[in-house]
Amino acid sequence: MKIMKYSTRKKLFGFCLVLPWVVGFAVFLVYPLSQTILYSFSSVTITPHGTRTEPVGLKNYTDVLFTDPDFTLGIPTYLQQMVFMVPMVVVFSLLFALLLNSHIRGQRVYRAIFFLPVVLISGPILEKVRDVGATELPGAGDFFVFEFINTQVPPLLAAPIQYIVQNIVLIFWFSGVQVLIFLSGLQKVDRSLYEASMVDGASAWQQFWKITIPMVRPFILLIAVYTVVDISMSSLSPFIAVIEEGMFAPSQGFGFSSAASWLYFLLILAALAVAFLVFGRREKDILKQKEKALRKRRRRLARQQKRAARRYKIRG
């Protein structure tokens, strides 16, 4: 009997370990996606014997874009969420991470408090919270500051401020996971960089822009991408209700919802592309920044050594 080689047995064992994931990926992802593509170009009818599909070409896509008003009316709302909420979540999560990364009492308790909304932000609970108005600051628009903004500031600048104030609670709620990601990035920054900058007389503001931001820039891109997907898949998205309600509507059905899902998928891809352009940065640029910082540190050490040598000569 021929004995199997050790390398072949090792590869076979690894394949057996990966096989359940491959089967699950094919059954629960590839097959449903292929079915939705088929449904988006068909008229789907549910019968006692299963589903019956009839090809209709691009009719479902034209119905979504030009016949049904809910999908097209949801595009401005979705763009508003991407333009205002995503940058604000990135900014607030970074600020919270900086606060939680400082040496304060009860640090673990505060981290749990900031992460608690992630556990409670499921779809039904978030909808109930929004229905009772708990996601807004009541009476915030009555302050004289906002009255001044509404009357004196141009509408193009006043609209973002009003949107942020009205949705400030949601922005805090969507910052839980992002705070933890920023914390992990801040804890990896070499403390000697801050110490060396303090020796050179750098202020806290200069340390933030020259050290903290360049070091956590890869995490900013990661958080921006995560936030885009998180908001897009939450009940805040105006398209989720359109897709769910259209599945069982007599005049629409699974074909309509499938076409709406793929169009929504293209919108999410466009939002992710914009996030890459705005928050992304090439790895070469990051390496150049690190090399530049190392050169500055070497020059600084060389100057310190020269000053120490001069003092030694003078004393001698």
Side-chain angles (χ1 to χ4, degrees):
M1 183 177 179
K2 188 176 180 180
I3 300 176
M4 187 181 298
K5 294 182 180 180
Y6 173 75
S7 59
T8 306
R9 293 201 307 269
K10 190 175 180 180
K11 293 178 182 179
L12 184 61
F13 180 72
F15 178 76
C16 292
L17 293 177
V18 178
L19 184 60
W21 182 89
V22 174
V23 174
F25 179 81
V27 173
F28 298 107
L29 186 62
V30 176
Y31 177 72
L33 284 178
S34 62
Q35 286 294 106
T36 56
I37 295 175
L38 175 64
Y39 289 164
S40 66
F41 294 101
S42 306
S43 175
V44 183
T45 305
I46 307 297
T47 65
H49 304 287
T51 58
R52 186 176 68 250
T53 59
E54 297 179 2
V56 294
L58 298 175
K59 182 180 181 301
N60 290 323
Y61 290 94
T62 56
D63 289 345
V64 172
L65 293 175
F66 305 111
T67 303
D68 185 75
D70 295 332
F71 189 90
T72 54
L73 291 176
I75 294 177
T77 303
Y78 180 75
L79 294 178
Q80 195 177 40
Q81 292 174 352
M82 294 296 105
V83 172
F84 295 145
M85 284 196 67
V86 174
M88 287 298 100
V89 169
V90 173
V91 172
F92 279 107
S93 59
L94 177 58
L95 295 178
F96 292 151
L98 289 172
L99 291 174
L100 294 177
N101 195 44
S102 59
H103 299 287
I104 55 176
R105 282 188 175 183
Q107 193 178 60
R108 295 182 179 178
V109 177
Y110 293 131
R111 292 180 182 180
I113 292 173
F114 276 103
F115 189 75
L116 187 61
V118 179
V119 182
L120 303 176
I121 205 169
S122 62
I125 296 178
L126 181 58
E127 291 179 1
K128 295 295 182 182
V129 171
R130 291 184 64 189
D131 292 340
V132 299
T135 59
E136 300 179 0
L137 295 178
D142 299 333
F143 289 102
F144 71 93
V145 176
F146 299 104
E147 293 181 0
F148 174 80
I149 292 173
N150 294 331
T151 56
Q152 303 297 327
V153 178
L156 187 62
L157 298 177
I161 299 175
Q162 293 175 353
Y163 183 87
I164 293 170
V165 172
Q166 293 173 357
N167 297 274
I168 190 66
V169 177
L170 286 176
I171 293 173
F172 289 161
W173 274 42
F174 276 95
S175 301
V177 175
Q178 291 85 334
V179 170
L180 296 181
I181 296 174
F182 268 132
L183 274 173
S184 64
L186 290 173
Q187 292 172 358
K188 292 181 180 179
V189 179
D190 190 359
R191 301 302 303 177
S192 63
L193 295 175
Y194 293 102
E195 296 172 359
S197 63
M198 292 175 63
V199 172
D200 287 346
S203 62
W205 185 253
Q206 291 173 331
Q207 291 178 357
F208 175 75
W209 285 107
K210 300 296 183 180
I211 299 177
T212 304
I213 293 297
M215 292 295 114
V216 300
R217 189 177 292 273
F219 295 92
I220 293 177
L221 175 60
L222 173 63
I223 287 172
V225 171
Y226 176 83
T227 306
V228 168
V229 177
D230 191 23
I231 295 176
S232 300
M233 294 295 102
S234 68
S235 59
L236 295 179
S237 174
F239 302 114
I240 299 297
V242 174
I243 295 171
E244 291 178 350
E245 294 173 0
M247 292 173 61
F248 302 101
S251 60
Q252 296 173 346
F254 281 79
F256 176 90
S257 295
S258 298
S261 300
W262 281 105
L263 290 174
Y264 185 34
F265 174 70
L266 294 178
L267 282 177
I268 296 175
L269 286 183
L272 292 176
V274 173
F276 271 102
L277 292 176
V278 175
F279 299 101
R281 193 178 181 186
R282 293 182 179 179
E283 190 69 23
K284 293 181 179 179
D285 297 336
I286 298 174
L287 293 176
K288 288 180 181 179
Q289 185 73 20
K290 291 181 179 180
E291 291 176 358
K292 186 177 179 181
L294 288 175
R295 287 196 296 268
K296 287 183 178 179
R297 186 177 180 184
R298 290 168 184 169
R299 288 196 294 267
R300 182 171 60 251
L301 292 175
R303 289 195 299 267
Q304 292 175 355
Q305 291 176 356
K306 288 181 181 179
R307 287 195 293 266
R310 289 173 185 172
R311 294 194 196 99
Y312 180 77
K313 289 181 179 179
I314 292 173
R315 291 177 182 177

